[in-house]
Amino acid sequence: MTEKKGKFDFAIDRGGTFTDVFARLPDGRERVLKLLSRDPQNYKDAPTEGIRRVLEEETRRSFPRDQPVDTSLIGWIRMGTTVATNALLEREGERTALLVTLGFKDLLHIGTQARPKLFDLEVAVPEVLYEEVIEVDERVVLRQDGCQLPRKDPRRIVTGSTGDSLEVWRELDLERVEKDLRGVLSRGITSLAVLLLHSYTWSDHEKAVGRLARRLGFTQVSLSSEVMPMVRAVPRGYTVCADAYLTPKIHQYLKGFTSGFKGGLKHVDVLFMQSDGGLTPMEQFCGSRAVLSGPAGGVVGYAITSYSEMEKKPVIGFDMGGTSTDVSRYAGQYEHVFEATTAGVTLQAPQLDINTVAAGGGSRLFFRSGMFVVGPESAGAHPGPACYRKGGPLTVTDANLALGRLLPNFFPKIFGPGEDEPLSMEETMKRFRHLSQEINLFLSSNQSQVGANGANRSPSSKPEMSVEEVAMGFIRVANEAMCRPIRALTQAKGHDTSQHVLACFGGAGGQHACAIARALGMKTVFIHKYSGVLSAYGLALADVVEEVQEPCSLQYEHGSFGELDRRVEQLSKRCLDTLSARGFTSPQITTEVFLHLRYKGTDCALMVTAAGYPADAKSCLAGDFRGAFTERYLKEFGFTIPDRAIVVDDIRVRGCGKSGIKSVFKSKTALGQSKPVKVTKCYFEEGYLDTSVYLWEELPCGHSIWGPAIIIDKNSTILVEPSCEARLTEGGDVCMTVSSDPHCALGTELNTVQLSIFSHRFMSIAEQMGRVLQRTSISTNIKERLDFSCAVFGPDGGLVSNAPHIPVHLGAMQETVQYQIRSLGTTLKEGDVILSNHPCAGGSHLPDLTVITPVFRKGVSRPVFFVASRGHHADIGGITPGSMPPHSTSLEQEGAVFVSFKLVTGGVFQEEALTEALMAPAQYPDSSGTRNLHDNLSDLRAQVAANQRGSQLVGELIDSYGLAVVQAYMGYIQSNAELAVRDMLKDFARRRRQQTGSLEVESEDFMDDGTAIRLRVQINEEEGQEQRFGATAMLRAPSRSLPSSIACAAWWDKTFPLIRDALHQSKSPFPLAQSFSLPRMPLWWEETFSRPREWSTSYLGHLRCALLHRAA
């Protein structure tokens, strides 16, 4: 692609609120411009207006707003837009019909049944994108000679693109389809999504429907076999629906945009950013690949400007805005995900891996039940933070202002009702003084708290917290909240967070960059000179991308290399031909080959490149993909399966046409040191310090600025903390060197701010365990239904923290861990992993298999922590499939039983012994061993991998703070959880008394034989606990057995979401620790039910407790 010299080039990021414009002028100079995305009183379209303003100001010619813009001076235009994202979020896409195989009308409405928020009492099912459904009487199935299901005689046998054979059971009836399509058209629907089963490999039926629909007059026809030819009908169906739903809206926007220019931009090279970080011609920009068009530009921007090909140090992108923060990673290649959910719609398309956390400059500040809490609620643009003078709440922005890190004199006077006043320091300090009084009152009224060692301490002996200490506390908690997604992005995939550069952009990030880098162990922070408009600048740097992908079902082995090489060459040629047709020369074009690989019999596929793994005699010509896959799998999941074949699911080739600009900007140089424009006072851990203030535009390159200092730009404020150094590069960017934390080590005495930080850290560990388990498992129960739980336990087996997983698991897992401690004692060794499901050993019902890993430290003979995961396996044998027979009379009839089974010994997975145990139920009459051994083994490996990740993260936490401190805060978190529940019960009692005049609640339910179960609770409003708790039922028959673990499980399963909901209503924090279930545990079970015999059936106990669960 030849560059047009002497022209204006534009890169524009059209966001929801602002539109950022980067312009390269004919003489090589660069300009940036920011304007409102919607300002109908002044202009119709923000990108067009931005181009018009630059042309008018630079040429000093008139470009009237009411006339199309002359394009003779424009070289190219590149855009990123949130048009598709907003249409998806607001459900304002095109009216769409879905055409699907007969019998699958509700496939996308049913979806995967995944519930991202398991404890929501009211689940809002996302609306489907289609308005009508047409069922097509056609059927194609994969040919499987070993299938024992009733079969139909196929009309014909066909071969798919993967090489698989398929049977056509029912041919496509085009006459019937035409009649149905005409009916849809008559109702005004002109956009059609087509999803036929197995079309990812054999697309003839879909293509025939597509030709017919276009002939009939449908303006948009999206075929799943063309939009994304990957296996799995549900995400493929969501993707094709999104494409049909959003693409017309994009075309509508493009039509309006081009109409603002003479000739409709026919002779201007117009490119749009896709979700994968590559540019595509305007006419090929489609809905399914446009959802992350806006954020993708920022990722490209920091990746190209921050990553050094010489040092090859990976970069974390940190984009902190007003309501949320986006983080991503770049290590020489863009990290893509191929299945992601936006606005309830799962898209199966390459997208940059961007993680978002609800913490930004506008996040609100709370003190609840002894905890500093930041967000997720936001003050929004209106009323905004308290300092905006519109009656808004305290936010992170206010905390920075109170500490002197934001300077009102350097902000425009656009605040207050008349939008003509400066930021209000007075309002911020007034609010903080009130909050500080509330915090100090709480600390003084709680005379003593119990630490991990049981010793009391008196917080009243400590001095009161000042306003500055309170504000600093909230900043530290906010920083930790923003560290969590960064740890998830790195540690959850086996990367060392400290070995990264932090690339900061967005308006609010510079105030927190040093602190976040220090907390993560990073040494370098990079802030580009265009950090305020980096998404637009990234568009100017980006390459044009052409991707082709096709499914495959070959094994990665020597016999398949010839076919793999042939298909790779074919796809590469398609990329080269397409990019050549767009004007790129051979030296400008590069291609990269990816194989979507997984171990045979597993469902966890990785998109792998062979970069760094050259081809050899044992690989295909594109590189050693086996070596690349094995190393990455080991890094992410902690194990490999050496004797297992590797399957190629997809072949993907990504072609890039190098077209990004090269910045020629050079910062000015000076001989002397730069001088500050003023010196102010800023508050840090050491107290108030003199802090020099510099203007970014006046800084010369090469000179160092030692913290504390503030660097101010028209779009951002950068805080250089004490012991950190900032310097300006030749390109005009700020590079900061971050020192390690100079402050003294944390002691075991309770620090209220540190309590909130440790709460985030423990929760982060459990969350990352859950991510690994979901990613590495293969069963529908765990991977899609999320029927699993992960948690961290103390040395006594008490629950420290868990992610918001399944409460019925969490109620019993503590007993499981404590049983193993009592049973195995000193025999537990490093490298051991225990498997258990017996009800008398803390199990709930047998399919819930618990995997427990003890965490050891050098010099300590006993485990210092435990991590555990419990997952529901669909079948583990027994007299009926599903391992939950309602008529069982003994435990053996329900499936395989594990009390204290060594799943891993000395680091070796005991597959042979495990297989034998899972097949053992077959020895009993009318019983079978597990009916799905493959899934059992794979999911148990996934649980081991999740525990391994938790063990590593706990070890790193201890390395940072010391064992005594970590265990002390474990105890403080458990105590705080009880305090939070007491506060909730006090609030509940107050509201109950006001509404009914009574402090009692009661309920009644009945068992199958008519026996009543009655539950009565009376709340002590002063103490925040149950004053009387009663559950009555005359159940003493042997079949009415109920283990205590099941009682606790059911108690948690019912009370956990109820208390969570009550905590949410009362705006209290959400504790997830052992004492959360206090102050009263269900000790009534012994009075109501009989203790079970060791091999009594768990089913009836589980069912009886389910009735108590209902009564509760």
Side-chain angles (χ1 to χ4, degrees):
M1 177 177 285
T2 57
E3 190 171 326
K4 299 177 182 178
K5 296 187 180 296
K7 301 276 189 176
F8 287 84
D9 299 325
F10 295 93
I12 304 170
D13 175 40
R14 185 187 185 278
T17 304
F18 290 103
T19 290
D20 299 332
V21 180
F22 168 84
R24 187 176 64 168
L25 310 184
D27 59 3
R29 289 182 298 119
E30 298 167 352
R31 277 197 57 175
V32 295
L33 180 69
K34 187 183 286 284
L35 64 161
L36 291 171
S37 293
R38 294 179 60 85
D39 191 357
Q41 294 181 345
N42 293 304
Y43 46 81
K44 294 181 180 179
D45 179 69
T48 306
E49 173 66 12
I51 292 172
R52 191 198 66 78
R53 287 185 188 181
V54 171
L55 291 176
E56 190 170 73
E57 293 171 8
E58 294 296 331
T59 64
R60 298 184 180 180
R61 288 169 43 190
S62 175
F63 287 80
R65 282 180 179 154
D66 58 351
Q67 297 179 17
V69 176
D70 181 8
T71 61
S72 62
L73 297 177
I74 300 175
W76 48 252
I77 298 172
R78 300 177 176 190
M79 282 185 62
T81 176
T82 57
V83 169
T85 312
N86 294 339
L88 191 61
L89 289 169
E90 298 165 10
R91 292 298 194 264
E92 293 182 351
E94 190 73 7
R95 295 179 63 194
T96 301
L98 170 65
L99 187 145
V100 69
T101 301
L102 181 67
F104 293 87
K105 177 180 180 179
D106 295 319
L107 178 67
L108 301 185
H109 174 70
I110 296 170
T112 63
Q113 293 292 289
R115 291 179 58 182
K117 297 181 179 180
L118 289 170
F119 301 139
D120 279 359
L121 299 182
E122 183 179 354
V123 180
V125 179
E127 296 179 5
V128 293
L129 301 181
Y130 51 85
E131 188 174 318
E132 292 193 26
V133 180
I134 301 172
E135 291 189 278
V136 180
D137 192 9
E138 64 87 45
R139 196 70 168 96
V140 177
V141 298
L142 288 171
R143 184 177 180 84
Q144 301 182 65
D145 294 331
C147 180
Q148 300 179 13
L149 293 174
R151 302 180 63 179
K152 298 181 180 180
D153 293 330
R155 300 286 183 93
R156 55 186 170 126
I157 307 295
V158 296
T159 301
S161 61
T162 60
D164 293 316
S165 293
L166 299 98
E167 299 177 358
V168 180
W169 284 4
R170 190 177 296 274
E171 295 285 359
L172 184 66
D173 184 354
L174 282 176
E175 290 185 5
R176 176 64 183 271
V177 174
E178 180 174 351
K179 179 181 177 182
D180 291 337
L181 289 177
R182 288 187 183 278
V184 169
L185 275 173
S186 68
R187 290 185 287 277
I189 298 175
T190 58
S191 186
L192 181 69
V194 183
L195 172 66
L196 302 182
L197 297 192
H198 301 298
S199 60
Y200 71 94
T201 181
W202 191 75
S203 59
D204 286 23
H205 281 180
E206 277 200 355
K207 289 179 178 177
V209 171
R211 289 191 295 268
L212 173 62
R214 293 185 184 99
R215 178 172 61 81
L216 293 175
F218 280 88
T219 57
Q220 174 64 36
V221 179
S222 299
L223 308 181
S224 73
S225 55
E226 294 177 352
V227 172
M228 182 46 65
M230 292 181 74
V231 71
R232 300 179 69 203
V234 172
R236 192 170 80 250
Y238 282 139
T239 306
V240 73
C241 285
D243 192 78
Y245 185 74
L246 299 175
T247 301
K249 286 296 180 182
I250 290 176
H251 289 169
Q252 180 181 333
Y253 172 73
L254 295 180
K255 183 178 179 181
F257 172 63
T258 56
S259 67
F261 298 84
K262 289 182 178 179
L265 290 172
K266 287 184 178 179
H267 302 293
V268 178
D269 186 25
V270 183
L271 300 171
F272 273 78
M273 176 61 74
Q274 300 182 108
S275 299
D276 64 356
L279 295 167
T280 193
M282 176 174 60
E283 59 272 11
Q284 296 183 17
F285 191 47
C286 64
S288 60
R289 301 204 174 200
V291 173
L292 292 183
S293 174
V299 176
V300 174
Y302 85 74
I304 294 177
T305 58
S306 307
Y307 182 77
S308 169
E309 289 290 348
M310 295 289 291
E311 298 180 2
K312 294 190 180 301
K313 196 165 186 178
V315 183
I316 293 294
F318 178 74
D319 180 7
M320 182 179 177
T323 59
S324 64
T325 298
D326 293 336
V327 298
S328 54
R329 181 178 184 271
Y330 182 81
Q333 292 178 330
Y334 295 112
E335 298 192 356
H336 292 109
V337 292
F338 291 83
E339 194 171 304
T341 301
T342 301
V345 178
T346 301
L347 298 180
Q348 197 177 44
Q351 303 174 53
L352 291 172
D353 190 4
I354 300 173
N355 291 259
T356 302
V357 61
S363 294
R364 296 179 60 182
L365 311 180
F366 306 95
F367 184 76
R368 296 169 174 163
S369 300
M371 297 276 280
F372 283 65
V373 180
V374 177
E377 299 94 330
S378 173
H382 182 81
C387 59
Y388 281 17
R389 300 177 182 267
K390 293 183 179 180
L394 281 177
T395 67
V396 172
T397 297
D398 290 295
N400 279 309
L401 181 62
L403 297 175
R405 300 177 177 195
L406 294 178
L407 305 177
N409 291 340
F410 290 89
F411 276 74
K413 296 182 179 181
I414 57 174
F415 306 101
E419 298 185 348
D420 55 358
E421 298 180 76
L423 288 173
S424 174
M425 173 68 83
E426 296 78 12
E427 184 63 27
T428 291
M429 296 305 291
K430 175 184 174 182
R431 299 288 188 92
F432 264 115
R433 282 191 289 270
H434 178 78
L435 182 58
S436 299
Q437 291 173 0
E438 177 187 332
I439 292 172
N440 288 318
L441 179 62
F442 172 88
L443 294 177
S444 62
S445 62
N446 287 267
Q447 292 299 314
S448 63
Q449 295 194 24
V450 180
N453 58 1
N456 291 338
R457 71 149 189 89
S458 175
S460 59
S461 63
K462 301 272 289 184
E464 291 188 345
M465 294 186 73
S466 67
V467 168
E468 291 80 6
E469 288 173 330
V470 169
M472 177 64 80
F474 281 111
I475 292 293
R476 293 178 62 194
V477 173
N479 290 341
E480 184 59 39
M482 290 181 284
C483 285
R484 277 173 67 176
I486 297 177
R487 291 193 181 96
L489 197 66
T490 53
Q491 295 173 347
K493 295 183 179 181
H495 305 298
D496 184 351
T497 310
S498 65
Q499 300 304 309
H500 289 71
V501 173
L502 186 67
C504 184
F505 57 107
Q511 300 149 41
H512 300 259
C514 284
I516 288 174
R518 180 182 286 128
L520 296 169
M522 298 178 179
K523 302 301 182 185
T524 305
V525 175
F526 185 88
I527 304 178
H528 194 268
K529 65 176 181 289
Y530 293 140
S531 61
V533 293
L534 194 62
S535 290
Y537 187 60
L539 295 170
L541 303 176
D543 297 326
V544 176
V545 169
E546 173 66 18
E547 277 203 8
V548 288
Q549 179 174 321
E550 64 181 30
C552 180
S553 60
L554 298 172
Q555 291 191 14
Y556 189 81
E557 58 188 13
H558 190 271
S560 303
F561 289 160
E563 176 65 11
L564 279 174
D565 292 336
R566 184 190 68 79
R567 295 176 67 174
V568 166
E569 183 180 3
Q570 187 180 55
L571 294 177
S572 298
K573 186 177 184 303
R574 285 172 55 186
C575 283
L576 290 169
D577 291 346
T578 301
L579 291 172
S580 296
R582 293 176 185 166
F584 290 95
T585 61
S586 294
Q588 292 177 306
I589 301 174
T590 61
T591 60
E592 188 171 15
V593 179
F594 297 83
L595 297 183
H596 205 199
L597 302 175
R598 61 181 172 85
Y599 282 118
K600 186 177 182 179
T602 71
D603 194 39
C604 182
L606 299 176
M607 191 67 75
V608 176
T609 174
Y613 297 84
D616 56 29
K618 297 181 179 180
S619 74
C620 62
L621 295 178
D624 179 15
F625 283 91
R626 181 185 297 275
F629 171 75
T630 302
E631 182 171 324
R632 183 173 164 194
Y633 200 95
L634 179 65
K635 193 171 192 176
E636 286 203 26
F637 308 130
F639 67 94
T640 59
I641 315 176
D643 56 345
R644 189 71 61 85
I646 297 174
V647 177
V648 184
D649 278 343
D650 301 277
I651 304 171
R652 171 186 170 220
V653 177
R654 181 179 175 91
C656 291
K658 300 295 181 181
S659 63
I661 68 169
K662 301 295 182 183
S663 177
V664 297
F665 177 85
K666 297 289 184 182
S667 180
K668 64 182 180 180
T669 59
L671 296 176
Q673 288 288 335
S674 53
K675 295 182 179 180
V677 295
K678 67 173 296 185
V679 176
T680 187
K681 293 282 187 180
C682 277
Y683 189 89
F684 298 95
E685 297 289 348
E686 302 91 335
Y688 277 107
L689 299 176
D690 287 337
T691 303
S692 300
V693 181
Y694 299 87
L695 296 180
W696 193 339
E697 60 186 15
E698 296 181 1
L699 291 177
C701 71
H703 291 293
S704 296
I705 297 174
W706 284 92
I710 293 176
I711 301 174
I712 294 179
D713 179 55
K714 59 184 177 181
N715 292 317
S716 60
T717 298
I718 301 171
L719 178 70
V720 186
E721 295 201 357
S723 303
C724 297
E725 178 191 7
R727 61 181 178 83
L728 207 69
T729 68
E730 285 189 357
D733 312 315
V734 172
C735 184
M736 293 193 288
T737 302
V738 180
S739 66
S740 58
D741 194 340
H743 305 107
C744 59
L746 183 67
T748 57
E749 188 178 55
L750 175 63
N751 178 291
T752 308
V753 174
Q754 204 65 42
L755 177 67
S756 302
I757 293 174
F758 266 99
S759 178
H760 278 284
R761 293 298 298 270
F762 281 124
M763 176 75 79
S764 176
I765 292 172
E767 287 175 344
Q768 291 189 49
M769 290 173 66
R771 288 190 184 97
V772 172
L773 178 52
Q774 182 184 6
R775 182 168 173 76
T776 57
S777 61
I778 70 169
S779 69
T780 301
N781 269 2
I782 294 178
K783 196 173 192 67
E784 296 184 352
R785 291 185 58 245
L786 308 182
D787 197 348
F788 66 84
S789 295
C790 300
V792 179
F793 301 83
D796 62 348
L799 178 64
V800 175
S801 183
N802 62 270
H805 294 154
I806 305 294
V808 72
H809 292 170
L810 300 165
M813 283 174 73
Q814 176 175 292
E815 289 208 8
T816 307
V817 176
Q818 291 174 338
Y819 179 91
Q820 305 308 323
I821 295 174
R822 295 192 301 268
S823 176
L824 299 178
T826 57
T827 63
L828 282 173
K829 305 295 182 186
E830 190 167 6
D832 289 349
V833 179
I834 311 302
L835 172 63
S836 181
N837 69 343
H838 197 294
C840 290
S844 46
H845 65 156
L846 295 190
D848 283 344
L849 299 183
T850 304
V851 175
I852 305 164
T853 301
V855 181
F856 288 85
R857 294 291 290 180
K858 187 176 181 180
V860 183
S861 60
R862 299 177 68 89
V864 296
F865 268 95
F866 292 85
V867 290
S869 56
R870 177 172 288 188
H872 185 138
H873 291 240
D875 190 277
I876 56 169
I879 58 177
T880 63
S883 306
M884 194 67 178
H887 51 281
S888 59
T889 58
S890 66
L891 199 61
E892 299 93 333
Q893 294 175 328
E894 298 185 12
V897 180
F898 303 92
V899 180
S900 300
F901 181 84
K902 291 286 185 74
L903 182 62
V904 177
T905 302
V908 179
F909 190 82
Q910 303 297 306
E911 182 168 343
E912 184 176 344
L914 176 61
T915 301
E916 182 180 345
L918 287 168
M919 301 307 297
Q923 64 185 296
Y924 299 105
D926 302 321
S927 189
S928 167
T930 179
R931 299 164 182 86
N932 204 345
L933 177 64
H934 163 262
D935 280 16
N936 295 136
L937 296 176
S938 296
D939 284 354
L940 284 169
R941 285 193 184 95
Q943 289 180 252
V944 172
N947 286 10
Q948 173 71 9
R949 174 64 61 212
S951 177
Q952 292 173 356
L953 297 177
V954 169
E956 291 175 8
L957 193 63
I958 296 173
D959 289 340
S960 298
Y961 291 96
L963 178 60
V965 172
V966 172
Q967 291 186 335
Y969 275 89
M970 170 197 69
Y972 295 141
I973 286 172
Q974 291 173 332
S975 298
N976 180 263
E978 178 180 346
L979 176 64
V981 176
R982 287 186 184 277
D983 286 349
M984 181 279 298
L985 290 174
K986 291 177 183 178
D987 183 71
F988 172 79
R990 178 185 55 78
R991 287 186 284 113
R992 177 75 178 176
R993 176 172 47 76
Q994 291 175 349
Q995 294 169 4
T996 68
S998 171
L999 294 179
E1000 281 194 354
V1001 290
E1002 60 182 36
S1003 183
E1004 180 181 70
D1005 211 328
F1006 298 90
M1007 301 186 72
D1008 295 343
D1009 60 3
T1011 303
I1013 299 179
R1014 299 182 182 89
L1015 181 68
R1016 181 181 295 112
V1017 180
Q1018 184 175 13
I1019 307 297
N1020 184 322
E1021 187 175 358
E1022 296 297 324
E1023 298 294 329
Q1025 68 176 16
E1026 300 95 338
Q1027 183 170 311
R1028 286 207 307 269
F1029 186 101
T1032 60
M1034 296 304 296
L1035 304 172
R1036 287 294 177 181
S1039 62
R1040 303 313 200 249
S1041 61
L1042 178 63
S1044 62
S1045 59
I1046 296 180
C1048 292
W1051 175 255
W1052 271 62
D1053 196 27
K1054 192 61 180 178
T1055 60
F1056 198 58
L1058 290 175
I1059 293 178
R1060 182 210 63 84
D1061 189 62
L1063 288 169
H1064 176 74
Q1065 292 182 21
S1066 63
K1067 303 299 183 183
S1068 299
F1070 185 19
L1072 297 172
Q1074 170 185 347
S1075 298
F1076 170 82
S1077 57
L1078 295 178
R1080 292 293 294 260
M1081 286 292 288
L1083 302 178
W1084 36 263
W1085 70 274
E1086 289 193 37
E1087 301 174 3
T1088 307
F1089 292 92
S1090 60
R1091 280 187 177 272
R1093 299 187 305 273
E1094 183 178 358
W1095 296 100
S1096 296
T1097 172
S1098 71
Y1099 172 76
L1100 287 177
H1102 210 78
L1103 182 63
R1104 306 310 176 215
C1105 207
L1107 287 170
L1108 272 177
H1109 168 293
R1110 286 169 55 190

